[in-house]
């Protein structure tokens, strides 16, 4: 299950147990909201423990880089599961190579501090 919430200063996406199709749809919905509304901050928090369903984040980030994000856009990733954390770190590195400011964090507090710095 996923929850996407537009807060005053950022888009918050919380992911829990879901299949790969639902996870991809959630990543894509978050990307569309960021791009269409010109949002400059986004946070994804993965609370599930099935890293295999997070592989599609890379394709979503590639699409966001091609579409062009708002100036100053920042995207923070947090995962409770070590496997998902590794996927997020690799996705963040790939996104940075494409010019996006995406970073993976160990805690939500660290991610929020960076988003609002």
């Amino acid at each position: 299950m996923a929850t996407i919430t537009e807060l005053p200063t950022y888009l918050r996406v919380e992911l829990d147990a879901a299949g790969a199709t639902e996870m991809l749809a959630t990543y894509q919905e978050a990307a569309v909201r960021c791009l269409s509304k010109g949002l400059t901050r986004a946070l994804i928090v993965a609370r599930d423990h099935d890293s295999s369903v997070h592989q599609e984040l890379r394709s979503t980030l590639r699409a966001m880089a091609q579409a062009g994000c708002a100036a100053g856009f920042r995207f923070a990733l947090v995962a409770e599961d070590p496997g998902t954390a590794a996927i997020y770190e690799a996705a963040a590195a790939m996104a940075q190579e494409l010019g996006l400011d995406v970073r993976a964090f160990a805690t939500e507090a660290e991610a929020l501090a960076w988003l609002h710095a």
Side-chain angles (χ1 to χ4, degrees), residues 13-86:
V13 181
E14 187 167 336
L15 305 169
D16 213 335
T21 303
E22 182 182 348
M23 200 64 68
L24 175 59
T26 301
Y27 285 138
Q28 290 175 339
E29 181 181 344
V32 167
R33 284 193 194 191
C34 288
L35 294 168
S36 67
K37 295 183 176 191
L39 302 178
T40 59
R41 303 285 185 265
L43 168 68
I44 291 183
V45 179
R47 300 201 183 284
D48 67 310
H49 297 283
D50 181 4
S51 60
S52 67
V53 299
H54 296 280
Q55 295 292 341
E56 291 302 323
L57 175 60
R58 293 169 68 105
S59 63
T60 300
L61 291 171
R62 277 190 204 96
M64 290 180 77
Q66 290 175 343
C69 294
F73 179 76
R74 287 185 168 194
F75 206 139
L77 308 169
V78 178
E80 290 182 357
D81 177 72
T84 303

Side-chain angles (χ1 to χ4, degrees), residues 12 34 45 73 93 96 101-102 108:
R12 185 176 196 286
C34 288
V45 179
F73 179 76
Q96 288 171 9
D101 199 359
V102 179
E108 189 169 344

